[in-house]
Amino acid sequence: MLWRAMMIMVSFVVSGCVPEMTDMMMDGDPLHDGGPGPISDANLPECRDDGLRLNHLQMRGTVNSYHDFRDDERPEIAYRHLPLDEQAALQGIRQFDFDLAADRASFIDLSPQTTEHPGDDESHCGGFRGCLWQLRDWSVATPDHPLVIVLVGETHIIEGRLPALQVQLDDIEREIIAGVGRDRILTPADVRGDFPSLRAAVQCVGWPTVEATREKFLFVLNDRGVPRVQYLLEGGLDPAERLLFVIGDPDAADDPATADEVIFTFEPDERFGFETDQAAVPEMTALARSGYLVHAITDDPMTANEFLEAGAHMVGTRFPQRLWPVADQPITCNPLTGPADCDPADIEPERL
């Protein structure tokens, strides 16, 4: 295990945090035993604990949030969501999910649909920008709401031509700015601050506070393929200040090359898969304890409760009325990472 301990030390030096060498690092697996050790680099900004933070929360999510299609002969897509503003207002949804497919003629016009889900072009909001307008309108009408997280899946664009791919990545950012407004976006730079990496920031000072991120949106590029690599290397419209976070692969959570991956999803890999493997629960807990945000999906209420108890911050579903039949508190305290005095009423008053 010595080689693994050395790799972990390299990982945290790269990220800007240097943990103390402990018996756990020498004999165990820190990812599965609670995460990194204490930070001890005097050159880093001061670590502090000054309020309720984003990783102290849990929120409800939907899968393919724009979906408005039913076909009894294809049960995998036989579900319909409310319009996005109604999901937020009536069901307390605070995490949304879009799969984008570029227009085949221009590679620019983005729509909330995928080639694998042919019925997904039947949406409540037309194209991606129209969907974001619905969320923006709800946001404007709901002052002081906590942060909303939006996953943007982008696996169905052409990956073989990098210039065309970069155009599409740029256009995603343009659509986001046009949809919600630049001033409503929480960027990676906002979280990183003066730290050398996102991981160094969240492991030292933590995520931004709930109060500092009200009425804002956080966007995540939910893709582990070529688009993710291209976006990390070249960025979007302004590579120095990307608008999107990138999704992390749990299997590479201790890779020193992933110091800017702080949001992890446990979505299944199979086509039309809508159930996170329950065997991933220990890994969810380890990542949550390490300060990262964790996303899972399920349509089963008991499984959803298990994921939430394990520290997941977002649980997405095709059937929110099944998981949360009672319209109550939209955002709750994370039982694993939230402070003992966390009160859901301080996060968001009951409006439903």
Side-chain angles (χ1 to χ4, degrees), residues 78 98 108 121 150 181 192 202 210 220-221 243 247 278 315 322:
F98 297 93
I108 293 175
D121 57 357
V150 180
R192 185 184 303 108
V202 302
V210 173
V220 186
L221 182 61
L243 297 187
I247 207 71
Q278 290 173 278
V315 175
R322 181 185 302 172

Side-chain angles (χ1 to χ4, degrees), residues 9 26 61 72 74 77 145 174 198 275 278 295 321 340:
M9 289 297 295
M26 295 300 295
D72 292 336
R74 288 183 290 176
I77 60 173
H145 70 79
R174 290 192 183 96
L198 284 170
E275 290 291 332
Q278 290 173 278
H295 169 254
Q321 68 279 11

Side-chain angles (χ1 to χ4, degrees), residues 82-106:
L82 293 175
L84 300 171
D85 52 349
E86 293 184 24
Q87 290 182 48
L90 302 179
Q91 297 177 321
I93 302 303
R94 298 293 182 266
Q95 177 260 303
F96 296 86
D97 167 60
F98 297 93
D99 283 338
L100 302 183
D103 182 275
R104 286 180 172 79
S106 64

Side-chain angles (χ1 to χ4, degrees), residues 107-166:
F107 305 106
I108 293 175
D109 184 22
L110 302 170
S111 299
Q113 64 182 33
T114 76
T115 54
E116 292 183 357
H117 293 230
D120 280 0
D121 57 357
E122 299 292 332
S123 78
H124 288 293
C125 43
F128 184 43
R129 187 184 302 187
C131 296
L132 295 179
W133 281 342
Q134 284 190 1
L135 291 177
R136 181 202 60 192
D137 290 347
W138 166 82
S139 177
V140 170
T142 313
D144 295 328
H145 70 79
L147 181 82
V148 171
I149 296 180
V150 180
L151 303 183
V152 181
E154 211 239 346
T155 59
H156 303 281
I157 62 177
I158 293 179
E159 297 185 347
R161 300 189 302 178
L162 293 184
L165 171 58
Q166 188 59 47

Side-chain angles (χ1 to χ4, degrees), residues 9 106 173 290 292 311:
M9 289 297 295
S106 64
E173 290 200 339
S290 296
Y292 308 133

